[in-house]
Amino acid sequence: MLVQQKQKAPGPISGTGIGLRSSHVGEILMNQPDIPWLELLADNHMAAGGLIPAQLAAVCEIYPVTFHSVGLSLGSIDPLDFEYLGKLKKLMRQHHVAWLSEHLCFTSVDGFHSHDLLPMPYSPESLQHMAQRITHVQDFLGERILVENVSSYMKFAESEMDEAEFIAALVEQADCDLLIDVNNIYVNHLNLGIEPVRYIEQLPFERVREVHLAGYEQKDGFVLDAHNNPVSDPVWDLYSQLIQHMPNVPVLIEWDNDIPPLSRLMEEAHKADVIKQQSTQGISYAIS
Amino acid sequence: MPLADIEQTFMQCLITPYNDADMFMSKLVVAGSLSSEKQLSIYRSNINGAHESVLAQIYPACKTILGEGYFNQLCLLYRIQFPSKHANLNKYGKHFSVFIKDFIEKHNELQAFEYLPDLVLLEWNWHAIYYSCNDLPFDFSLLANVAEDQQQKLVFHLSNTVSLQCSCYPVLAIWESNRPELNNKQLKSKQTFEMPDEEIHFCIFRDNYEVSLKELPATQFEVLQAIKAGQTLGELSDRFGGDLQPTLNYYIQLGWINSFSVDEMSNVR
């Protein structure tokens, strides 16, 4: 059976949620575990028919849901894909999705799609271009979107500002909101040498509506934002510092590869709640 | 360098990974421990991995037969020849059968794998049917309203959840023996298979979210193929005679034939 009897009405997005992946959908629908909200990869739920749309409808009947997308290509010089946007908007309205988040990057150009989050130079031209595109997207959707900082493995000579400065200017110009991925900040620290504490201090906290936590993987000479491990201790530390500035912002655990049982993700979410509580009560958190 | 040039040269470095990337790399600066070469190679590797993963999910039997290393090499060549042109990754890999056919024709050492394009097409059809549009059941009340003089012009339509295929190779047996999800303990990629005496006909279809495969008698397959080709009821009657009515009834009941059109009147969905 696909859909269980509806047990509870979806409420607001608050507390620590989990990024729902296909391997857990059956368990979520069957057992309806106590998870405050779920984030779905919108691109994975845009199938024309069959099981995927049915599962999306069933999940949204039970849980508050947000959409995270990878196909908007906000930084691309190609025209915005309004067919894609139209599908997103329809699904969001149909299933009362709380909000949409996208990445500060481009994924396509000249009609070619990389299916990877490609970084852009942090230049005035990029800033103006991306702000304009976000404005168009928000006008089309009739609501603000959240833009997420990405993990990057590249630094452009054209960059005239650092990422945190770029983000602060972008949310101002585009009047959008922010999704801050703490693991991405740390990955960029290890790979590109950015200073994470300074980065956090530059963020416009009042614009942050969501925080992501994930794990990285050590590779040959760099770390990869692979979402295949528990959140690392230094990332918990950074999270602890960040969350003091915005104790009520919803948090999400992302785990996309080598996915463990749902119970393991719920443990990770619980840890995020505990750290938040301790951090915001002025109790220092000791890494176990 | 303008943003447009940066994005275009970056993308070209990714979709044509063997081409010279010096011009693009001259626009990068060393960051932390990452040289400009390393920066680009990380993205090239990420993209290879993502595309290999998608093709491996769509074509598990093909991967089993070829082995991971060879399959991944073909994935890279395919990505260069057919770079993704759609935001939806579920649509990536559609031309893999054509690509494999061409590749086998150009490589004599692969002649023993000449069945592979048909097997790959089977796996694509399975994947595509899983994601295809839902269809409504056949509307018999509309059919009853078709005027008698219009009936011979009536054209039936196959459901979006149905895909027809035929092969002169034993692809069904090969496929069943190399599906990791069914045979993960003992894959039989080295098994030999007897060539069928005649072409085999089959249909991949979706019923209540489940994708299945059904082998079809030749005549029934031809009726369905003719319907797919848009032949009118009159043309079908002339061609198939007494075989037509039971075949139509059966596949309308199954939901494989789910709508019809006739001149201006249409219930195509």
Side-chain angles (χ1 to χ4, degrees), chain A residues 65-77:
Chain A
V65 162
T66 62
F67 267 178
H68 196 43
S69 68
V70 292
L72 264 180
S73 201
L74 285 175
S76 174
I77 55 155

Side-chain angles (χ1 to χ4, degrees), chain A residues 66-93:
Chain A
T66 62
F67 267 178
H68 196 43
S69 68
V70 292
L72 264 180
S73 201
L74 285 175
S76 174
I77 55 155
D78 280 358
L80 277 169
D81 184 347
F82 281 97
E83 188 188 335
Y84 174 87
L85 257 176
K87 285 180 187 168
L88 272 180
K89 183 176 181 177
K90 187 178 170 193
L91 285 178
M92 290 176 71
R93 296 290 180 275

Side-chain angles (χ1 to χ4, degrees), chain B residues 122-134:
Chain B
L122 185 164
E123 295 200 289
W124 173 261
N125 287 335
W126 186 279
H127 167 80
I129 289 299
Y130 180 78
Y131 291 104
S132 63
C133 297
N134 297 333

Side-chain angles (χ1 to χ4, degrees), chain B residues 24-112:
Chain B
F24 176 70
M25 286 193 295
S26 72
K27 302 298 174 189
L28 303 177
V29 291
V30 174
S33 59
L34 303 179
S35 65
S36 53
E37 288 86 356
K38 183 72 176 174
Q39 293 175 32
L40 181 58
S41 79
I42 291 171
Y43 283 98
R44 282 176 163 169
S45 168
N46 285 352
I47 284 165
N48 270 350
H51 286 72
E52 281 168 13
S53 169
V54 168
L55 293 179
Q57 282 175 31
I58 301 171
Y59 301 111
C62 177
K63 183 179 175 183
T64 302
I65 290 165
L66 292 175
E68 185 172 4
Y70 204 93
F71 180 79
N72 286 347
Q73 283 182 44
L74 288 184
C75 289
L76 176 59
L77 295 175
Y78 176 74
R79 186 167 72 74
I80 294 167
Q81 199 170 326
F82 294 95
S84 178
K85 292 193 170 180
H86 204 287
N88 186 346
L89 252 184
N90 291 332
K91 299 195 175 180
Y92 180 69
K94 184 178 182 177
H95 305 291
F96 204 52
S97 174
V98 174
F99 165 80
I100 292 265
K101 187 171 190 292
D102 184 54
F103 192 82
I104 289 171
E105 282 170 2
K106 289 175 182 165
H107 294 79
N108 284 335
E109 72 275 17
L110 294 175
Q111 288 313 306

Side-chain angles (χ1 to χ4, degrees), chain A residues 2 43 46-52 54 71 75-77 81 84 87 106-121 125-126 129 151-158 191-193 220-222 224, chain B residues 1-8 10-12 14-15 24 26-36 38-40 42-43 46-47 50-51 83-92 130-134 206 209:
Chain A
L2 176 69
D43 305 75
M46 293 170 89
L51 182 62
I52 304 287
S76 174
I77 55 155
D81 184 347
Y84 174 87
K87 285 180 187 168
F106 74 104
T107 55
S108 58
V109 70
D110 292 337
F112 297 115
H113 291 260
S114 68
H115 304 292
D116 195 11
L117 307 175
L118 307 179
M120 307 166 62
E125 185 192 6
S126 297
H129 177 69
S151 52
S152 174
Y153 312 92
M154 193 167 269
K155 192 168 183 180
F156 294 95
E158 303 287 339
N191 288 332
L192 305 178
D220 180 23
F222 69 104
L224 183 68
Chain B
M1 192 183 203
L3 179 64
D5 292 348
I6 289 174
E7 290 189 358
Q8 286 166 332
F10 190 3
M11 185 63 84
Q12 281 305 313
L14 298 175
I15 61 177
F24 176 70
S26 72
K27 302 298 174 189
L28 303 177
V29 291
V30 174
S33 59
L34 303 179
S35 65
S36 53
K38 183 72 176 174
Q39 293 175 32
L40 181 58
I42 291 171
Y43 283 98
N46 285 352
I47 284 165
H51 286 72
S84 178
K85 292 193 170 180
H86 204 287
N88 186 346
L89 252 184
N90 291 332
K91 299 195 175 180
Y92 180 69
Y130 180 78
Y131 291 104
S132 63
C133 297
N134 297 333
R206 196 178 74 217
Y209 308 131

